[in-house]
Amino acid sequence: MDKIIGTLNGINFTIGDTLLELSYLIAALLFVFGLKLLSHPETARRGNLWAAGGMGLAMLTTLLLHKAPNGSGIPLTNVWIILASIGVGSVIGWIVARKIKMTAMPQLVSIYNATGGAASMLVALLEYPNAVAGDVSSILVTVLGLVIGAIAFSGSMIAYGKLDGKVGDIMKPFMTYLNLVLLIVTIALTVFIIISPNEPSEMIWAIYTLMALSLIYGIMFVMPIGGADMPVVISLLNSLTGIAAAMAGFIYSNEAMILGGILVGAAGMILTMLMCKAMNRSLLNVIIGAFGGGGAAGAGNEHGTIKEIQLSDAAVLLSYSQKIVIIPGYGLAVAQAQHIAHELDTLLEGKGVEVKYAIHPVAGRMPGHMNVLLAEADVPYEKLVEMDDINPDMPNVDVAIVIGANDVVNPAAYDDPSSPIYGMPIIDAHLAKNIIIMKRGMGKGYAGIENFLFFNEKTRMLFGDAKSSITKLVSEIKSM
């Protein structure tokens, strides 16, 4: 393995070096292939396995073939520590993945983002003293890895706390200015460290100060962001984690880390932009707009009358309809009602009813939350219709069944210029011939504003836990 087979720029290459670089190329291709498969629910599981295989290959070949500049391999003690860490982490990850509820998946994603950011931050912190004074490129990637990793870590932890109900929102006007000052100071210190002619050992105080500032900024950056914007924030933080990982890859000149980080960063940023487009807002507006949590739109308007529907009437209406659209939201996830919802649509299709699911891009608490939830219940992907595709057909729908959704069907997005969600594209449930809303009560959605769809003359409310209500509805339809 140590036989020299070539020289490039005065550096000798061995068979081991060649095999290691080849394994990184194969790993990168597996990452890309896995990412491609992740774009469809039917192939997403295989996509995860292919990407994991690529990471496993890169890790294995690094352990076996990596050589230090002096030609020595990884010390055996370090190999055992690495293997033990991988084993412990794998066991913990396996247990968490098996036990986590689908409703807590956004929190889990936030934790994963946080661990990735923390890892990149620690790598940069440990490697900074080894940087060469005056080598701007090496110091640049190290400092950027530290800053981006720290922001991704602390921001993701706050996002986890907000999603889990452990951390509240701080939506004060001064937060925008405070964050701006923090950002300017952080950037200024970053530039100072990069251009400083001093030895890294003399700048340790600055690097720790920069880490503290970045951690604080990550916290303050996420704190004012309202609940309805959390899917966008999670996607953005995921992108930052990928960029931080790429910086760590540059530090070690590791192609697999660089390519993996770039793929995650690019995919996360594209998803963030798409979600902002779906909300008809800019990313800057999401970050500083404090959307959600404080809306009082329509507070002075007449609400109208709430009309309820009995199970027997709902069963008759659904059974004799021709076209039905189910609009799922976070309430469906909370009630774990996806399986019984699929049973309902199967039962209705057996009666000749056409049933589709309308999916809003930001429904739930994370990107693709509803798609994952319904795929778990084996709902055929062909039944899941995106908002832009289903809206033109909504006037032809006999019944729109809204299960636990709120803001994504709120007509205030069209009718109320004072509403925080004004201008946000929604699913046009209000255009259906009949509307059944399944909800526990009259509580507001995640954006914290009133939903006037509840008072629409075509709307009937079916109060109660979604899973229980649908179960009773299925029994009622079967007994007809």
Side-chain angles (χ1 to χ4, degrees):
M1 285 291 184
D2 293 325
K3 180 181 177 181
I4 297 175
I5 60 173
T7 302
L8 180 64
N9 295 330
I11 301 175
N12 295 326
F13 278 88
T14 66
I15 295 176
D17 295 329
T18 304
L19 290 176
L20 182 60
E21 296 302 318
L22 180 61
S23 74
Y24 289 161
L25 175 60
I26 295 173
L29 292 174
L30 290 174
F31 293 158
V32 174
F33 184 58
L35 192 60
K36 169 69 174 176
L37 295 179
L38 284 172
S39 64
H40 197 289
E42 292 181 0
T43 58
R45 186 185 298 272
R46 284 190 287 125
N48 267 321
L49 293 175
W50 281 108
M55 182 57 70
L57 174 64
M59 293 165 60
L60 179 63
T61 53
T62 300
L63 282 174
L64 296 176
L65 302 175
H66 175 75
K67 300 293 182 183
N70 61 8
S72 63
I74 300 175
L76 186 60
T77 302
N78 291 358
V79 171
W80 284 114
I81 292 174
I82 292 170
L83 291 175
S85 300
I86 292 173
V88 172
S90 298
V91 170
I92 294 174
W94 178 272
I95 293 173
V96 170
R98 296 290 295 182
K99 290 184 174 295
I100 194 73
K101 294 181 179 179
M102 191 57 66
T103 50
M105 192 59 67
Q107 292 93 306
L108 182 62
V109 171
S110 293
I111 290 291
Y112 285 161
N113 286 345
T115 55
S120 300
M121 176 186 72
L122 293 175
V123 164
L125 189 65
L126 292 172
E127 291 299 326
Y128 177 75
N130 299 326
V132 178
D135 186 354
V136 175
S137 60
S138 66
I139 295 178
L140 174 66
V141 296
T142 304
V143 173
L144 287 180
L146 176 80
V147 172
I148 299 172
I151 292 173
F153 167 63
S154 58
S156 295
M157 290 305 297
I158 295 299
Y160 159 76
K162 289 165 77 80
L163 289 167
D164 208 46
K166 295 181 172 67
V167 177
D169 298 327
I170 299 180
M171 298 179 182
K172 303 294 182 182
F174 72 86
M175 292 292 294
T176 300
Y177 302 102
L178 177 61
N179 284 343
L180 184 60
V181 171
L182 275 172
L183 181 60
I184 292 172
V185 173
T186 301
I187 293 174
L189 184 56
T190 298
V191 173
F192 170 71
I193 293 174
I194 292 171
I195 65 176
S196 174
N198 296 330
E199 291 290 335
S201 58
E202 300 173 2
M203 300 291 291
I204 297 299
W205 66 271
I207 206 71
Y208 275 98
T209 303
L210 180 62
M211 182 181 70
L213 280 172
S214 301
L215 289 170
I216 294 171
Y217 177 72
I219 294 171
M220 303 305 291
F221 147 65
V222 177
M223 282 299 292
I225 296 178
D229 279 334
M230 289 313 295
V232 181
V233 174
I234 292 173
S235 180
L236 177 61
L237 291 170
N238 179 255
S239 177
L240 293 179
T241 300
I243 296 170
M247 293 300 106
F250 281 115
I251 293 173
Y252 291 121
S253 298
N254 187 299
E255 290 81 357
M257 290 178 67
I258 294 171
L259 291 171
I262 289 173
L263 285 173
V264 173
M269 190 55 66
I270 291 171
L271 180 59
T272 302
M273 294 294 102
L274 289 174
M275 296 183 72
C276 287
K277 181 180 179 182
M279 299 170 68
N280 194 32
R281 303 171 68 217
S282 67
L283 180 58
L284 180 62
N285 186 253
V286 169
I287 294 174
I288 68 174
F291 171 46
N301 296 340
E302 289 295 329
H303 289 174
T305 304
I306 289 290
K307 297 177 286 292
E308 294 189 51
I309 189 171
Q310 300 300 315
L311 279 170
S312 57
D313 295 331
V316 171
L317 178 60
L318 296 177
S319 296
Y320 291 96
S321 296
Q322 293 182 330
K323 184 177 291 187
I324 292 174
V325 169
I326 297 174
I327 306 171
Y330 187 63
L332 178 79
V334 171
Q336 289 288 285
Q338 62 270 30
H339 296 280
I340 190 63
H342 181 34
E343 184 178 344
L344 173 64
D345 81 60
T346 303
L347 179 62
L348 291 172
E349 286 192 332
K351 292 178 173 288
V353 182
E354 179 187 347
V355 183
K356 299 288 186 181
Y357 291 81
I359 308 298
H360 193 283
V362 294
R365 295 295 186 268
M366 64 178 289
H369 197 178
M370 294 300 104
N371 302 70
V372 174
L373 198 73
L374 295 170
E376 182 194 35
D378 296 322
V379 175
Y381 184 69
E382 293 71 25
K383 288 187 178 182
L384 309 185
V385 185
E386 297 296 329
M387 173 185 66
D388 292 338
D389 296 324
I390 199 72
N391 273 348
D393 197 38
M394 287 304 295
N396 302 318
V397 172
D398 294 306
V399 186
I401 308 175
V402 181
I403 308 178
N406 200 316
D407 303 315
V408 298
V409 294
N410 193 341
Y414 293 148
D415 304 334
D416 189 353
S418 68
S419 171
I421 66 169
Y422 183 70
M424 184 183 92
I426 62 169
I427 295 174
D428 294 336
H430 59 286
L431 298 181
K433 298 172 184 176
N434 296 279
I435 307 159
I436 296 177
I437 297 180
M438 295 186 180
K439 212 172 185 305
R440 287 179 179 271
M442 290 298 294
K444 297 178 175 62
Y446 211 17
I449 60 177
E450 193 71 75
N451 188 347
F452 292 102
L453 182 64
F454 299 165
F455 310 101
N456 189 298
E457 61 180 11
K458 296 182 292 185
T459 297
R460 300 292 184 273
M461 305 292 294
L462 185 60
F463 290 114
D465 176 79
K467 186 175 183 179
S468 175
S469 295
I470 301 174
T471 300
K472 294 174 182 177
L473 187 57
V474 166
S475 298
E476 192 74 26
I477 293 173
K478 286 180 178 178
S479 65
M480 289 180 60

